[in-house]
Amino acid sequence: MPGIGKTAIAHSICRQLHERKQLGGSFFCRRDDPALSETKSVLPTLIYRLAEIFEPYRNLVVQALQEDPQLTPNLASGEFFLSALQSLEAHSLRTLVLIIDALDECGDLATRKQLLEYLLKACQRNKWLKIIVISRPENDIRSFFDANGISGRDLGQDDHSRTDIRHF
């Protein structure tokens, strides 16, 4: 439901993770902002933020940019995101978390699915990396989660969550 506090919760989670030095990056989608309503903007932002906090990943991104100066944010695709993570020789000693808020306001059915596939592969291949997606439970997003055994919580249906949100 709109206005239930999803974005407020996302900001709170980001703040807590940042304080613990576990926030790997975040992206806050917005339907009314062209720069924030396209899924093609999500991964370049997460690549940049993860490179800021995690030096071994930053070194790989810098190396890729030096080797290919034509690499632009639009070309920094899911394959680039995954290959840089796969190339890491050193893994983070602490869990790093990437947050995506309002995914339902970003892209279309096909591009959201592709983004979720890249994020799922990143987590499966890198146990130290976690992703939190905050979104309205659109059919395409819910179906992707169900098909891949990803658990979720519907804040609009959970009585305990409603109490927690009101308290927050």
Side-chain angles (χ1 to χ4, degrees), residues 22-42:
Q22 289 186 281
L23 180 61
S26 61
F27 191 90
F28 287 77
C29 303
R30 286 189 51 170
R31 181 174 288 121
D32 61 350
D33 184 331
L36 301 176
S37 65
E38 296 290 332
T39 54
K40 67 181 180 182
S41 301
V42 176

Side-chain angles (χ1 to χ4, degrees), residues 15-89:
R15 182 181 42 77
Q16 291 176 21
L17 289 169
H18 178 74
E19 289 171 0
R20 289 190 262 163
K21 299 190 184 318
Q22 289 186 281
L23 180 61
S26 61
F27 191 90
F28 287 77
C29 303
R30 286 189 51 170
R31 181 174 288 121
D32 61 350
D33 184 331
L36 301 176
S37 65
E38 296 290 332
T39 54
K40 67 181 180 182
S41 301
V42 176
L43 287 177
T45 301
L46 295 179
I47 290 167
Y48 177 80
R49 297 293 180 205
L50 190 56
E52 274 187 320
I53 191 171
F54 187 40
E55 186 177 358
Y57 188 74
R58 176 174 51 245
N59 294 340
L60 288 171
V61 171
V62 167
Q63 179 182 348
L65 290 170
Q66 288 173 340
E67 291 173 1
D68 184 1
Q70 302 303 314
L71 188 61
T72 64
N74 288 339
L75 296 176
S77 69
E79 292 303 324
F80 176 80
F81 176 64
L82 292 176
S83 66
L85 285 169
Q86 193 70 22
S87 299
L88 285 170
E89 293 179 15

Side-chain angles (χ1 to χ4, degrees), residues 68-157:
D68 184 1
Q70 302 303 314
L71 188 61
T72 64
N74 288 339
L75 296 176
S77 69
E79 292 303 324
F80 176 80
F81 176 64
L82 292 176
S83 66
L85 285 169
Q86 193 70 22
S87 299
L88 285 170
E89 293 179 15
H91 301 287
S92 178
L93 299 177
R94 62 185 182 270
T95 300
L96 295 178
V97 183
L98 303 175
I99 308 284
I100 301 172
D101 180 56
L103 180 61
D104 58 292
E105 295 187 24
C106 200
D108 58 31
L109 303 175
T111 60
R112 282 195 299 263
K113 181 180 181 188
Q114 185 178 40
L115 174 62
L116 288 169
E117 287 171 349
Y118 285 127
L119 295 171
L120 177 61
K121 286 178 187 174
C123 288
Q124 289 172 333
R125 296 175 185 175
N126 302 278
K127 300 302 180 192
W128 52 269
L129 184 65
K130 305 295 178 200
I131 312 285
I132 296 175
V133 175
I134 300 166
S135 175
R136 291 183 188 114
E138 300 293 348
N139 286 336
D140 63 306
I141 296 169
R142 184 180 292 235
S143 295
F144 182 88
F145 286 178
D146 290 345
N148 288 285
I150 300 169
S151 63
R153 169 166 279 160
D154 186 341
L155 299 178
Q157 301 298 319

